[in-house]
Amino acid sequence: MPDHPSYLNAFKNGKLEETAARLFDSLSSCAICPRKCRVNRLENKTGFCKTGKLAEVYSFFCHHGEEPPVSGTKGSGTIFFSHCNMSCVYCQNYEFSQEGAGREYTSEELAEVMLKLQGMGCHNINLVTPTHVLPQILKALQRACEQGLKIPLVYNTSGYELAGVIKLLEGIVDIYLPDMRYADSAVSKKLSLAADYPRYNQEAVREMYRQVGTASFDAEGLITRGLIIRHLVLPNGSSGTEKIMRFIAEKISKDTYISLMNQYLPYHKASGYPEISRRLKKEEYEEAKKILERYDLLNGWVQESYGSERFAGVNIKPA
């Protein structure tokens, strides 16, 4: 029987070490995300993500506010990485995602963080905004495996990914938690400086689904493997909910688990963009829920009250 999590097999057969080395070497002309800045990060040159050779971490802790099968009863071992390959004008984490709060961690230090979270009893290691530091994460994972890490990885991403890079994670990552933020390239360009987000996002999510399929859960309701797609509903239809749900239903699977989020607030620079300068209206979120039903997307979670960060099931499987 293969080991679970999958990265334990990859550690034993050498794939993890090989993939980590390959991606880390590629930082000499970095093209691990759609930006393809081609800077030499091994010499601490920086591109869009403002990250050099070492990963930077803002914080890590046992998080109880994620979706129920991710947080469970003991919490999710969440690591918030500094910087990002996007530039969302409404980002609630802008202090570290765009302004760079945090500090550098060596691969040994990052491995220690993973092991500490496991020691705290967390159900998983939740990698938040991992895209631009994936090579560093894999090097740390190799070291953590050598010291006994054995809880699943959650790849918690904005979804602005290269499908080819995601493909390298097959047999390493069991749980994907990507955003699908935009359906319209003009909107993604204006709000996140990523005109090509919809195309790359859709390609990457399809690859994630190919690898791990529909989410599966253990007897306690914890996710063990699979895909959960997050969709933050933005004011005035800016997130393109209808188009995204149609894509999921037609190109992924109607069985896909979706986390429909209503917690948008006009953080950071959002006040300068009239279409998103206010909170989400209750009726806008209700319309998004109707769109899920229209496309028979009935697995997942909605946020149980307006502006809440807590989740509940609809038929959208009860949590």
Side-chain angles (χ1 to χ4, degrees):
M1 286 287 292
D3 288 320
H4 184 79
S6 295
Y7 65 73
L8 293 176
N9 286 318
F11 169 65
K12 291 177 181 177
N13 65 30
K15 178 181 177 179
L16 175 57
E17 185 174 22
E18 178 186 345
T19 304
R22 175 179 174 183
L23 285 173
F24 195 77
D25 288 346
S26 78
L27 294 179
S28 63
S29 179
C30 188
I32 63 170
C33 89
R35 301 282 177 191
K36 299 180 181 178
C37 297
R38 298 291 182 184
V39 297
N40 188 346
R41 291 175 58 188
L42 298 180
E43 294 182 353
N44 276 322
K45 302 293 193 300
T46 60
F48 190 93
C49 73
K50 301 177 183 176
T51 305
K53 185 176 181 179
L54 297 179
E56 296 178 42
V57 173
Y58 176 69
S59 66
F60 60 90
F61 56 92
C62 193
H63 195 341
H64 293 273
E66 301 284 55
E67 288 78 3
V70 178
S71 285
T73 57
K74 298 179 181 178
S76 178
T78 304
I79 305 174
F80 283 95
F81 292 97
S82 303
H83 304 295
C84 184
N85 70 336
M86 294 182 72
S87 186
C88 301
V89 298
Y90 52 86
C91 183
Q92 66 177 345
N93 298 327
Y94 67 90
E95 292 98 336
F96 59 90
S97 68
Q98 296 184 33
E99 296 179 356
R103 72 166 180 88
E104 291 183 337
Y105 277 63
T106 65
S107 57
E108 293 84 0
E109 289 175 317
L110 189 51
E112 289 173 6
V113 168
M114 295 177 182
L115 291 163
K116 183 174 182 178
L117 291 167
Q118 177 173 270
M120 292 166 63
C122 297
H123 296 297
N124 46 59
I125 301 297
N126 188 344
L127 305 164
V128 180
T129 320
T131 312
H132 60 299
V133 289
L134 176 59
Q136 295 90 333
I137 289 169
L138 294 184
K139 287 191 72 172
L141 180 62
Q142 173 75 20
R143 292 182 180 275
C145 286
E146 293 167 357
Q147 299 175 64
L149 189 73
K150 57 183 180 181
I151 56 178
L153 294 183
V154 179
Y155 194 82
N156 184 343
T157 170
S158 69
Y160 192 39
E161 303 273 1
L162 290 174
V165 173
I166 295 298
K167 190 171 185 178
L168 296 176
L169 298 179
E170 186 167 12
I172 296 174
V173 172
D174 285 312
I175 302 164
Y176 286 105
L177 185 58
D179 293 336
M180 293 196 79
R181 294 195 187 180
Y182 306 109
D184 185 277
S185 60
V187 177
S188 61
K189 179 180 180 179
K190 182 176 183 180
L191 300 184
S192 296
L193 295 182
D196 50 8
Y197 178 92
R199 174 168 67 92
Y200 282 114
N201 178 242
Q202 291 177 11
E203 291 173 357
V205 172
R206 291 183 76 169
E207 172 58 23
M208 293 172 190
Y209 180 75
R210 184 195 68 79
Q211 289 180 27
V212 299
T214 302
S216 55
F217 310 91
D218 67 12
E220 297 179 356
L222 294 170
I223 184 169
T224 56
R225 182 176 173 83
L227 173 71
I228 295 175
I229 296 173
R230 282 178 168 170
H231 180 67
L232 177 65
V233 184
L234 297 176
N236 289 304
S238 299
S239 48
T241 301
E242 175 106 28
K243 289 182 180 179
I244 287 174
M245 298 308 155
R246 183 189 308 130
F247 170 82
I248 294 170
E250 295 179 355
K251 303 297 184 181
I252 305 294
S253 168
K254 288 186 177 181
D255 293 328
T256 301
Y257 282 75
I258 297 168
S259 179
L260 191 72
M261 304 170 77
N262 71 357
Q263 65 197 55
Y264 175 79
L265 292 171
Y267 287 105
H268 196 29
K269 302 176 182 177
S271 61
Y273 296 78
E275 64 271 40
I276 59 165
S277 62
R278 60 166 172 80
R279 295 182 63 167
L280 186 72
K281 294 179 180 178
K282 184 176 181 179
E283 53 265 34
E284 290 174 314
Y285 189 64
E286 291 301 315
E287 175 57 27
K289 288 162 65 175
K290 291 176 183 177
I291 291 171
L292 285 178
E293 295 176 4
R294 192 177 307 148
Y295 288 99
D296 295 321
L297 295 166
L298 301 179
N299 286 338
W301 303 269
V302 295
Q303 290 185 301
E304 58 188 11
S305 61
Y306 178 60
S308 170
E309 290 191 358
R310 297 186 61 195
F311 294 89
V314 272
N315 166 2
I316 274 188
K317 302 279 194 237

